[in-house]
Amino acid sequence: MVAQRRAPTLEEVAELAGVSRATVSRVVNGSSRVSPEAQAAVNAAIAQLGYVPNRAARSLVTRRTDTLVLIVHERPDTVFSDPFFASVLRGVNQALSPTDLQLVLLQAQGEAQRDRALRYVGNGHVDGVLLISLHGDDIMPTAISAAGVPLVMAGRLLTGGPLDYVDADNVGGARDAVRYLIAAGRRRLATVAGPGDMSVGVDRLRGYREAVREAGDQASAGRVAVGDFTEESGRRATTQLLADHPDLDAVFAASDLMALGALRALREAGRRVPEDVAVVGFDDAALAAYADPPLTTIRQPVELMGQEMVRLLLARIADPYADPTEVVLPTELVVRASA
């Protein structure tokens, strides 16, 4: 049996570098109170010995955990079926890959999970929080901020408030989608809107209404059914719209999954897409190009949103007292066969 090689110690690094143990500790923990010569000697010794700093000991000095948490405020079935969340997570991982930071994923659906997540954050387990999919006047942002933990959100707070967030141009994207439908000759539009307790739902409905009213179409502004960003909710909402407005000739759905549900409802009702009813979604998830017919949609840079959230969070950790930053990323119309 081959004996396992013992990990080098801080003392051995100090001896090889010809400096004190305290100097090695300062270099490892990023202190500026070390001469360039001593820092170079310590780094050379670390490389030669293959020394790996003890994370727990380091955290006692720096009060850092080198851990971020991504809290998703949605049901498990939504998180694992909606491509939006996977894309955000890819962006977050891409931004973290050059760093030594770890990522923890927590769900906070319901009061018990929310309270457990808040205890985890408040007990000093993480250096910062990425928060996704907030509903209504949830207390999480306020509670996290009150605990002094840096926070960045995906999407703005409905209630406003001075917090860092990253979002897509939901109003402008929805407006572009509807303007495209109107320019294509559609005159009896309807929308499957997102939840009214989420800023993304509110903003995309606002963009829809602004565009139809801009065209002098007050009637279409009232043709609204609400879904929850799932495919089934899109199917139900479109079925209801067809029952209430059988002459509609276009549907703008506030997410691609709801647009897929709209396509299914139209097919069940014997309506041809796009000949009878045009359909436009929002997201440009990978599944949009493989829909039947392929889905015209609004592309939002979801992976970039995840990357930008990490960038803002690291900046907030470095400077807790900086002014809040709001990043709104542009969207783009992608034309396919559904409209």
Side-chain angles (χ1 to χ4, degrees):
M1 182 175 177
V2 178
Q4 190 173 25
R5 183 176 180 271
R6 182 179 58 82
T9 65
L10 197 73
E11 287 75 11
E12 289 170 336
V13 174
E15 182 179 357
L16 181 60
V19 298
S20 69
R21 186 184 189 282
T23 298
V24 175
S25 180
R26 291 192 195 100
V27 171
V28 167
N29 291 304
S31 172
S32 59
R33 295 164 48 210
V34 182
S35 71
E37 295 80 8
Q39 185 165 351
V42 170
N43 287 334
I46 286 173
Q48 182 175 332
L49 294 173
Y51 173 74
V52 178
N54 182 294
R55 185 179 294 274
R58 182 182 176 191
S59 68
L60 291 174
V61 176
T62 63
R63 299 188 183 276
R64 295 278 177 87
T65 66
D66 288 342
T67 301
L68 306 180
V69 63
L70 174 64
I71 301 178
V72 183
H73 201 275
E74 281 293 350
R75 304 189 310 267
D77 57 330
T78 301
V79 172
F80 293 111
S81 64
D82 192 329
F84 173 83
F85 297 105
S87 295
V88 171
L89 188 56
R90 275 197 302 273
V92 169
N93 278 326
Q94 287 168 8
L96 289 178
S97 62
T99 76
D100 292 327
L101 299 172
Q102 304 177 93
L103 182 68
V104 174
L105 176 63
L106 293 179
Q107 288 182 259
Q109 175 64 25
E111 189 173 334
Q113 283 190 346
R114 182 199 65 197
D115 291 346
R116 189 158 57 245
L118 287 175
R119 284 197 301 273
Y120 181 80
V121 170
N123 286 338
H125 296 297
V126 300
D127 296 331
V129 177
L130 303 165
L131 188 56
I132 295 180
S133 201
L134 264 192
H135 292 257
D137 56 354
D138 193 282
I139 65 168
M140 289 198 77
T142 304
I144 292 168
S145 296
V149 181
L151 166 69
V152 173
M153 297 176 48
R156 64 180 179 83
L157 275 178
L158 269 177
T159 54
L163 291 174
D164 298 320
Y165 73 82
V166 180
D167 207 353
D169 183 7
N170 293 302
V171 176
R175 206 164 42 219
D176 288 344
V178 177
R179 284 172 176 169
Y180 172 77
L181 288 167
I182 292 170
R186 306 292 171 162
R187 293 294 178 266
R188 297 176 300 280
L189 286 74
T191 185
V192 179
D197 65 348
M198 298 180 71
S199 62
V200 63
V202 170
D203 290 348
R204 291 177 190 177
L205 178 58
R206 176 184 154 197
Y208 168 83
R209 284 179 163 156
E210 284 183 1
V212 294
R213 286 170 175 158
E214 173 186 87
D217 182 4
Q218 194 63 37
S220 291
R223 296 192 192 113
V224 179
V226 177
D228 62 4
F229 291 132
T230 63
E231 181 176 348
E232 177 56 26
S233 75
R235 187 194 68 79
R236 288 196 306 266
T238 304
T239 299
Q240 185 60 55
L241 287 170
L242 286 170
D244 295 341
H245 312 284
D247 63 339
L248 67 84
D249 63 3
V251 173
F252 166 62
S255 79
D256 283 350
L257 281 179
M258 293 199 298
L260 292 184
L263 291 176
R264 187 151 58 96
L266 291 165
R267 194 158 45 243
E268 291 168 354
R271 305 295 178 90
R272 298 170 302 163
V273 177
E275 292 85 355
D276 301 326
V277 182
V279 176
V280 177
F282 201 117
D283 286 331
D284 196 29
L287 51 80
Y290 301 101
D292 181 21
L295 188 63
T296 294
T297 186
I298 297 296
R299 176 179 295 155
Q300 60 170 339
V302 183
E303 288 190 23
L304 180 59
M305 288 174 65
Q307 294 169 9
E308 284 293 293
M309 288 176 69
V310 171
R311 182 183 67 81
L312 289 193
L313 186 56
L314 297 183
R316 175 58 58 192
I317 291 169
D319 186 357
Y321 303 107
D323 291 336
T325 301
E326 303 169 0
V327 175
V328 179
L329 301 172
T331 58
E332 175 189 357
L333 176 69
V334 179
V335 177
R336 298 191 181 98
S338 70

